Amino acid sequence: MTFQFERCLYTQGYHAVAGIDEAGRGPLAGPVVAAAVILPQTCDLPGLTDSKKLSIKQRERLFRAIRSQAVAIGTGFVTVPRIEEINILQATLEAMRMAVESLSVTPDYLLIDGINTIEMPVAQEALKQGDSRSLSIAAASVIAKVTRDRMMRAYAHRYPRYGFEAHKGYGTGEHRRLIATHGPCPIHRRTFAGVREYL
């Protein structure tokens, strides 16, 4: 994991480079959450990488470290009704835009995980597997993942039949079995295969 993309941009005269990533694009339930993070040019975040490669304990530790060191952090989330209205790709991009707009420092360059850029008047670049290549994107992936996981644990108290605290809405075998048994609840994505069959 390196800071080379950010460092190169700073040498070109940019002043606030934000990394952007999302969590929750694939699940059968719950919102999609995005985060935008501007790290200082000197930061100390040992072990930071793509959140999917980290344990829960590692993510929580890094979440606190990122929050204490970042220049700015923004988050955005899109609810299930909105996901169903505009589709999951557009909802993901909307959450990313919301995350950027909620930053307390205005970024002048965006590094975005994936292959899609955001409709915003800011210089930007999409990086395939960016959460394993850019420190800022990796930081955003941790913020988005931990934030969404906490939301899903809260939903688990509201809808205790579905085990959201364990699978966070992803389509595990157990989750699919519970949908088949109880039918979908209000935070299930009714347009998704694995849910729509049980409406």
Side-chain angles (χ1 to χ4, degrees):
M1 184 60 59
T2 71
F3 205 62
Q4 67 182 44
F5 293 100
E6 295 87 344
R7 193 169 288 114
C8 180
L9 289 163
Y10 286 127
T11 62
Q12 293 175 40
Y14 292 100
H15 301 287
V17 177
I20 300 151
D21 201 1
E22 54 76 28
R25 187 167 169 173
L28 303 181
V32 61
V33 175
V37 177
I38 302 173
L39 292 175
Q41 294 189 46
T42 54
C43 56
D44 183 27
L45 296 165
L48 178 58
T49 186
D50 171 11
S51 63
K52 294 186 290 295
K53 299 176 182 177
L54 299 168
S55 68
I56 294 172
K57 189 173 182 180
Q58 289 171 323
R59 285 197 297 266
E60 289 286 350
R61 175 183 63 79
L62 284 162
F63 181 88
R64 293 190 295 272
I66 293 161
R67 285 182 61 83
S68 70
Q69 295 184 46
V71 173
I73 295 173
T75 56
F77 72 93
V78 173
T79 62
V80 170
R82 182 65 173 162
I83 291 170
E84 294 178 339
E85 179 186 350
I86 61 176
N87 80 48
I88 187 61
L89 172 59
Q90 294 307 315
T92 299
L93 297 175
E94 186 169 287
M96 288 179 169
R97 187 169 65 250
M98 293 164 65
V100 173
E101 290 171 345
S102 72
L103 285 165
S104 60
V105 173
T106 302
D108 53 9
Y109 202 97
L110 310 178
L111 290 171
I112 305 165
D113 182 61
I115 59 172
N116 297 289
T117 53
I118 311 169
E119 287 190 23
M120 297 188 80
V122 185
Q124 55 190 281
E125 179 181 2
L127 289 177
K128 286 184 181 180
Q129 298 181 321
D131 46 12
S132 295
R133 301 167 64 197
S134 156
L135 208 64
S136 297
I137 295 176
S141 80
V142 169
I143 297 294
K145 174 66 173 164
V146 172
T147 299
R148 186 180 187 279
D149 282 358
R150 291 177 177 180
M151 294 173 77
M152 294 307 295
R153 285 196 291 272
Y155 279 127
H157 293 289
R158 192 180 305 178
Y159 306 108
R161 291 177 168 182
Y162 298 93
F164 291 130
E165 69 283 358
H167 53 68
K168 311 300 187 296
Y170 284 87
T172 63
E174 176 65 4
H175 185 196
R176 290 173 185 272
R177 185 188 68 77
L178 291 166
I179 296 169
T181 301
H182 303 295
C185 77
I187 65 161
H188 278 108
R189 299 175 182 179
R190 293 168 179 256
T191 55
F192 278 45
V195 178
R196 61 175 179 249
E197 299 91 327
Y198 301 102
L199 295 175

